[in-house]
Amino acid sequence: MTDPSVDDLERVADALRVPRNALLGKLSSNYPHVDSYPEYTKIFAWYLNTKGSGKDLTSDMGPVIVFTNGYSVVSMSQTWTETSQAISRGYESPRYSQISHTARVAYLALDHVFESYEYFVDSFESQAEKLEDQNPPWPRVAYMEAFIIQRESSSLLRQLRHLKRLAEALTDDHTELGINEIEKRLFDLIKERATGAEEMTEITHETMQGLIGMHMDTLSHDMNKTMRLIAALTVIIGCHL
């Protein structure tokens, strides 16, 4: 289901017998997570807009929701995320021939979501490397770029940590997904990728903190030299008056 209206969401909630706030609540305050209801498990994650500027990830993302009871599955997303297309493309792949219909849809949706996270992990790392190659002092625009990368990598870290917990939750025995060992290994791959992405993003975040501190220290040092020079000139001029 793509671009569902409020009425569509209400009908889905009624049909699945889940609380309406599971679909109609304030989604923007949610992180990726798994919720278990009496008959269904809900998987919730954010798809990050890889075609955006990357300067404000949290305001440029779309919800991806999957409901399953282990026998049937419903996915909901916005058209621009291309989640439905990703599920359709991968669904008939021989790679997934040994996993159930429900696990296949859930995995393909999460795999597509995670690709958007990996895009920004790589993008921020690349931008950080370029800034790292610039000798101090930075031009003003470089400081702006550095602060944006630091802020957005912090936001990305929070999303990644929750996505990793989501993948962990799917492999336990407390959901309605009912996955087997082969399917568990598939979801473990999501967890491993999230762990690797988290580590890379932490390095990028720490690198930006260090670079900003170093360049600020350089500016402070240069300013002190300038102030000492001004003070010396003032003394010299004063002596000749």
Side-chain angles (χ1 to χ4, degrees):
M1 180 183 292
T2 55
D3 302 322
S5 66
V6 172
D7 288 341
D8 291 333
L9 294 175
E10 287 181 345
R11 284 194 290 271
V12 169
D14 290 341
L16 301 182
R17 288 186 285 185
V18 298
R20 293 192 176 191
N21 62 9
L23 291 172
L24 299 169
K26 188 179 179 183
L27 298 181
S28 60
S29 62
N30 288 331
Y31 284 107
H33 65 274
V34 174
D35 278 336
S36 291
Y37 299 100
E39 297 181 29
Y40 279 86
T41 289
K42 181 184 81 171
I43 302 168
F44 177 91
W46 290 107
Y47 180 86
L48 307 181
N49 187 2
T50 58
K51 297 175 183 176
S53 65
K55 294 182 178 180
D56 191 358
L57 296 183
T58 57
S59 68
D60 201 10
M61 54 190 188
V64 175
I65 305 172
V66 176
F67 274 97
T68 180
N69 60 0
Y71 303 99
S72 59
V73 62
V74 177
S75 68
M76 287 166 277
S77 60
Q78 296 174 339
T79 299
W80 70 264
T81 68
E82 299 182 349
T83 304
S84 293
Q85 295 94 315
I87 293 171
S88 298
R89 283 195 304 269
Y91 189 82
E92 300 298 336
S93 171
R95 179 185 176 190
Y96 308 119
S97 61
Q98 297 185 37
I99 68 174
S100 68
H101 163 69
T102 53
R104 196 179 310 183
V105 170
Y107 173 78
L108 289 169
L110 285 177
D111 179 64
H112 181 63
V113 162
F114 194 73
E115 285 178 354
S116 73
Y117 288 65
E118 289 177 320
Y119 172 88
F120 284 105
V121 171
D122 293 340
S123 176
F124 291 153
E125 182 185 28
S126 176
Q127 292 176 62
E129 287 175 352
K130 289 178 182 177
L131 288 170
E132 201 169 9
D133 290 338
Q134 294 187 34
N135 295 322
W138 274 341
R140 184 174 180 179
V141 66
Y143 283 99
M144 294 299 295
E145 290 175 5
F147 282 117
I148 288 171
I149 295 170
Q150 184 185 34
R151 182 190 67 210
E152 295 308 307
S153 62
S154 179
S155 296
L156 183 58
L157 266 176
R158 288 192 292 272
Q159 295 290 336
L160 283 167
R161 286 166 180 159
H162 283 274
L163 190 64
K164 184 170 71 172
R165 294 189 195 113
L166 184 159
E168 289 174 344
L170 290 176
T171 59
D172 66 26
D173 297 322
H174 302 293
T175 70
E176 296 295 330
L177 196 56
I179 62 176
N180 58 37
E181 288 303 315
I182 294 175
E183 293 161 352
K184 279 186 179 181
R185 287 198 292 272
L186 206 56
F187 286 107
D188 277 337
L189 289 176
I190 295 286
K191 176 186 170 183
E192 290 171 10
R193 287 164 64 189
T195 300
E198 179 187 2
E199 291 172 355
M200 288 178 64
T201 306
E202 283 178 341
I203 291 171
T204 297
H205 187 262
E206 291 170 2
T207 298
M208 296 319 303
Q209 282 185 317
L211 285 174
I212 290 170
M214 180 185 73
H215 283 269
M216 292 295 284
D217 287 345
T218 301
L219 277 180
S220 178
H221 177 70
D222 290 346
M223 188 175 293
N224 286 337
K225 285 172 61 178
T226 302
M227 294 303 294
R228 287 197 297 270
L229 178 60
I230 291 172
L233 289 172
T234 301
V235 171
I236 293 170
I237 293 171
C239 291
H240 287 80
L241 291 178

